[in-house]
Amino acid sequence: MKKFLLFIALCLITPSIAIGQTFHAIIFANTKSPGNPNNPNDSGIGPSVTVDFERMSIEMTTIAKSIGYNIRKYYYYGTQQSFNRRNLEAVLNNLTCAPNDIVYFYYSGHGGRAMNEKSEFPEMVLRVPYGLASESELYPLYDVYNQIKRKSPRLTIVMGDLCNSTIKGYYRNENNASKGATVLSKSSFDLYKNLFLNVKGGLIVSSSKPSVTSTCIQTIDDKDLGGNFTHNFLETLQTCVAYDIDVSWDKLFDEVAKKTRKFNVIDDKGNEVPQDPVYKLHLTTAPINNNNFDSSVLAVPITSNDDATNQRDKMAYTLSKVCNRNIDKLDRIHNIKEAKALFSGANARVQVVGFDNSTIVNTCSANSYLNYLSMATNMDQVVVINSTTDNAGKVKYLKVHEIHYK
Amino acid sequence: MKHRYWAGILSLFAILTSCSLSKSSNEYNAASVTLGNDSIVIYNDSIDDILLNAKKVLAYDMADFVQQNDSVIKRDSIFNYHVKKKIGPLNSKELNILSFIIGDKSWYIKKYNPVRRPFNPDFTLEFIQSKKHIYMFVSFGTEEVAISDSKGNFKFYKMKDKHILARWALLKFPDKEYYIKL
């Protein structure tokens, strides 16, 4: 009987040991933000925010993988039912952090600042439909930072790509506080470890200074590249990874700010003035020993708040079991059957995109993609970005990104 | 010899880095910084005529973007934009200064990228000439103006200079703290 109880106790303890340190990835993205109904030429910021959302989800997965943390996703996007203040408050209230956990909060959408705002940071507009917002649909970025800091994680990162221009007549009630596959290499592990594991504290960043708007950017042929700030943040981070450039948070944001400033708005004399991000770093050097993690182990995804994210993660896990280099080749071939069952049949297509979420690396049938995965020699996992299904719930089209080892 | 080898490697790295950086900055669409405007019309000839030569202009203070107390009070609206208060006609001095500001056709930037704040007019001007009405909606939060004919056919523009119009608005509208902050 004693042995049985000991066994039960061990079973209860084991998951918490296995979970270890958690990378809490919280994203609020207004991906369905519509255009102005009075302006037929305005498609809204939704497409641009979608680019930000998809790229940031890839980046967060890469970061967590590189530093040996289990990622826990809290993704709120799409309809008002998901992208709203109630969900934001619930996430912040329910968040529990172990001392070595990292919390990375990212917002992409509309924003503005109260007439009486004391911080340099704006408020998020947690509302999908176009039109007037109520006070209960706004939430200050700085309050998110303070709330996460109170949970005492090892590192708090709060980042927003939104306008910081003043909202007429709005005084905040103080009580209302609220390009190819990713390649994991020694340099990417070192860079992410340096940024996320060698420091302790918090940082908050917003895409523009008080009284200034934030812009979306597009290619010359009008393809959305996302927010000016987010695009430059990801480009800079990935350039550092690609060229093994040792970078600290302050140097990283200096470079991001320099690039973001290149995209101008107009000042009162008709001159161009830069979109200048604002950031505050409260970091101290405090290395953490995390050398004994095995980055090649394929982790079972932790359940997220969002059904669609869970579905994508489940699909990604099934595909990753076919390609992960840590799994025996024969087992990978056996796993094809399970992966094949996800798809609608011979007509199902898979599109592989680069880390910029737009470069198309490959498009092929699901069957040939699975064969390719099973033969891949140095692959870690597949990240599912989006999919379309038929009436039976089988995948007709799948957009993925691959994470390889060098 | 060894130094030359490393110098070569470093030069190659510098070239690769600069190529990569310049590529990413050159791919942007520079639409939002295009100041030049070679158009000779703002909306079209007949609407421009009313806009620039109207003898009577009515002003409206518009509903704030954020509704305090979580309720939208039932109000008059111009198309689907709610009116907070009718201010009344502009006097001749106000009209002359306004005409000077909005008469500069290079002030209207026609091609620009979307900003991350919804368009919400702070004030609206109704231009009246021989029973014809056109409207100008001014949204400082997005730095845009919208011009509409009487049927609600809108055209949107980015203001080349929001402050000059904000200084004019300071004389005419309530919420002075807001216009000063601009």
Side-chain angles (χ1 to χ4, degrees):
Chain A
M1 186 62 187
K2 269 185 186 172
K3 274 183 185 170
F4 178 69
L5 285 174
L6 186 67
F7 173 72
I8 296 290
L10 275 173
C11 287
L12 290 171
I13 293 164
T14 305
S16 64
I17 293 168
I19 286 166
Q21 293 125 336
T22 306
F23 184 94
H24 301 268
I26 310 172
I27 301 182
F28 275 76
N30 198 350
T31 54
K32 295 272 186 222
S33 180
N36 185 340
N38 287 326
N39 186 357
N41 298 323
D42 179 20
S43 55
I45 62 166
S48 169
V49 171
T50 303
V51 172
D52 290 342
F53 173 58
E54 291 178 350
R55 292 193 68 192
M56 284 304 290
S57 4
I58 292 172
E59 190 62 31
M60 287 188 177
T61 305
T62 306
I63 292 165
K65 185 76 195 174
S66 300
I67 61 174
Y69 272 52
N70 294 312
I71 187 165
R72 177 152 193 192
K73 298 170 185 173
Y74 312 76
Y75 290 174
Y76 296 88
Y77 59 96
T79 62
Q80 181 74 46
Q81 205 176 3
S82 168
F83 180 82
N84 62 49
R85 177 173 164 152
R86 196 184 62 242
N87 284 340
L88 172 65
E89 286 174 332
V91 168
L92 296 176
N93 289 336
N94 298 331
L95 187 70
T96 51
C97 297
N100 277 330
D101 283 2
I102 292 170
V103 183
Y104 195 142
F105 176 91
Y106 174 77
Y107 173 87
S108 180
H110 286 300
R113 63 189 290 108
M115 301 274 290
N116 59 341
E117 180 59 58
K118 291 186 185 79
S119 85
E120 289 176 276
F121 299 94
E123 293 192 36
M124 301 167 280
V125 180
L126 293 149
R127 171 189 170 81
V128 177
Y130 214 88
L132 305 180
S134 70
E135 200 173 343
S136 63
E137 290 170 318
L138 272 69
Y139 204 94
L141 201 61
Y142 203 75
D143 284 0
V144 171
Y145 180 72
N146 284 334
Q147 287 215 50
I148 297 172
K149 286 284 284 175
R150 280 200 284 272
K151 308 278 181 175
S152 304
R154 171 182 181 78
L155 183 64
T156 303
I157 298 170
V158 172
M159 197 178 274
D161 199 331
L162 65 167
C163 274
N164 201 354
S165 50
T166 312
I167 302 169
K168 178 172 77 95
Y170 172 50
Y171 293 84
R172 182 152 69 92
N173 179 352
E174 292 299 330
N175 297 323
N176 192 28
S178 43
K179 288 166 189 184
T182 294
V183 177
L184 296 175
S185 61
K186 190 182 175 303
S187 66
S188 65
F189 288 138
D190 288 348
L191 181 123
Y192 289 126
K193 274 186 195 170
N194 188 37
L195 290 177
F196 289 88
L197 297 184
N198 286 341
V199 292
K200 203 173 175 179
L203 68 91
I204 177 166
V205 54
S206 176
S207 50
S208 54
K209 286 206 160 143
S211 308
V212 178
T213 56
S214 294
T215 188
C216 305
I217 52 172
Q218 296 170 320
T219 56
I220 299 201
D221 54 352
D222 290 342
K223 197 170 82 181
D224 282 309
L225 290 173
N228 181 24
F229 168 77
T230 305
H231 178 79
N232 285 311
F233 168 69
L234 291 171
E235 289 288 304
T236 310
L237 190 59
Q238 285 159 359
T239 301
C240 291
V241 170
Y243 294 105
D244 195 10
I245 300 167
D246 190 22
V247 72
S248 58
W249 280 111
D250 53 346
K251 278 186 187 153
L252 178 72
F253 280 120
D254 284 350
E255 186 62 27
V256 174
K258 209 158 78 184
K259 287 184 186 173
T260 307
R261 277 188 220 116
K262 282 185 184 166
F263 213 86
N264 287 350
V265 289
I266 312 300
D267 81 352
D268 56 350
K269 290 177 185 136
N271 296 320
E272 297 171 14
V273 293
Q275 181 189 327
D276 206 357
V278 52
Y279 51 96
K280 293 230 183 289
L281 311 178
H282 307 282
L283 299 169
T284 51
T285 307
I288 180 175
N289 182 11
N290 201 37
N291 287 334
N292 48 3
F293 87 93
D294 182 358
S295 66
S296 62
V297 173
L298 184 65
V300 181
I302 301 174
T303 308
S304 141
N305 64 294
D306 176 48
D307 289 342
T309 300
N310 288 333
Q311 227 165 3
R312 282 196 293 268
D313 283 351
K314 203 175 150 193
M315 244 186 266
Y317 183 64
T318 308
L319 294 174
S320 300
K321 283 197 293 185
V322 181
C323 68
N324 184 274
R325 71 170 184 182
N326 206 38
I327 300 173
D328 184 78
K329 268 257 167 72
L330 209 57
D331 290 337
R332 284 165 56 181
I333 291 167
H334 285 311
N335 292 338
I336 290 179
K337 195 179 167 192
E338 188 191 347
K340 215 175 234 180
L342 299 170
F343 293 95
S344 60
N347 293 332
R349 307 289 292 170
V350 178
Q351 188 172 66
V352 185
V353 293
F355 57 68
D356 60 355
N357 189 33
S358 62
T359 305
I360 297 167
V361 179
N362 186 20
T363 305
C364 59
S365 71
N367 285 349
S368 58
Y369 185 63
L370 292 174
N371 289 338
Y372 150 78
L373 286 183
S374 67
M375 291 298 132
T377 51
N378 238 353
M379 214 162 149
D380 176 69
Q381 60 178 291
V382 172
V383 178
V384 171
I385 299 166
N386 63 46
S387 64
T388 50
T389 51
D390 62 14
N391 294 337
K394 299 282 182 185
V395 176
K396 287 190 300 185
Y397 161 83
L398 191 67
K399 185 179 174 187
V400 299
H401 172 73
E402 295 170 354
I403 299 182
H404 291 255
Y405 291 98
K406 209 169 188 174
Chain B
M1 194 61 192
K2 201 174 180 184
H3 290 299
R4 273 194 195 171
Y5 169 78
W6 281 110
I9 293 284
L10 285 173
S11 314
L12 183 65
F13 170 73
I15 291 164
L16 283 172
T17 309
S18 66
C19 287
S20 151
L21 295 180
S22 64
K23 188 184 173 226
S24 62
S25 58
N26 286 342
E27 72 190 355
Y28 302 157
N29 182 353
S32 77
V33 294
T34 306
L35 289 173
N37 195 338
D38 52 5
S39 172
I40 52 163
V41 292
I42 302 166
Y43 190 108
N44 63 33
D45 285 336
S46 59
I47 299 256
D48 286 8
D49 180 52
I50 302 169
L51 192 68
L52 304 177
N53 301 307
K55 295 285 175 258
K56 189 176 180 186
V57 178
L58 302 176
Y60 302 86
D61 187 27
M62 304 302 281
D64 298 336
F65 171 62
V66 176
Q67 299 296 298
Q68 308 276 348
N69 306 322
D70 291 354
S71 64
V72 180
I73 304 156
K74 219 172 179 187
R75 293 187 170 110
D76 288 341
S77 61
I78 303 172
F79 302 114
N80 49 0
Y81 296 119
H82 294 284
V83 176
K84 189 173 170 185
K85 190 181 174 188
K86 288 179 185 173
I87 303 292
L90 304 186
N91 63 36
S92 63
K93 189 183 168 191
E94 289 162 346
L95 187 54
N96 285 340
I97 299 171
L98 178 72
S99 299
F100 172 75
I101 297 167
I102 65 171
D104 176 8
K105 289 176 181 173
S106 70
W107 187 67
Y108 304 85
I109 297 168
K110 293 182 177 175
K111 189 164 169 30
Y112 55 95
N113 290 330
V115 294
R116 296 196 164 198
R117 168 99 183 255
F119 180 92
N120 186 67
D122 297 310
F123 66 83
T124 298
L125 300 167
E126 182 181 5
F127 297 77
I128 305 166
Q129 191 186 63
S130 323
K131 293 183 181 171
K132 288 180 182 162
H133 299 245
I134 66 153
Y135 301 89
M136 176 183 273
F137 300 85
V138 180
S139 165
F140 287 112
T142 58
E143 302 177 359
E144 290 173 291
V145 289
I147 298 171
S148 161
D149 64 12
S150 57
K151 290 176 183 161
N153 297 309
F154 281 81
K155 284 189 181 177
F156 288 78
Y157 313 86
K158 194 160 180 79
M159 289 180 258
K160 189 173 109 178
D161 171 6
K162 71 172 178 182
H163 297 94
I164 190 168
L165 191 60
R167 283 197 287 273
W168 178 86
L170 183 60
L171 305 170
K172 188 68 193 165
F173 293 95
D175 294 305
K176 298 209 180 297
E177 191 190 341
Y178 172 68
Y179 293 111
I180 290 168
K181 270 178 181 280
L182 291 172

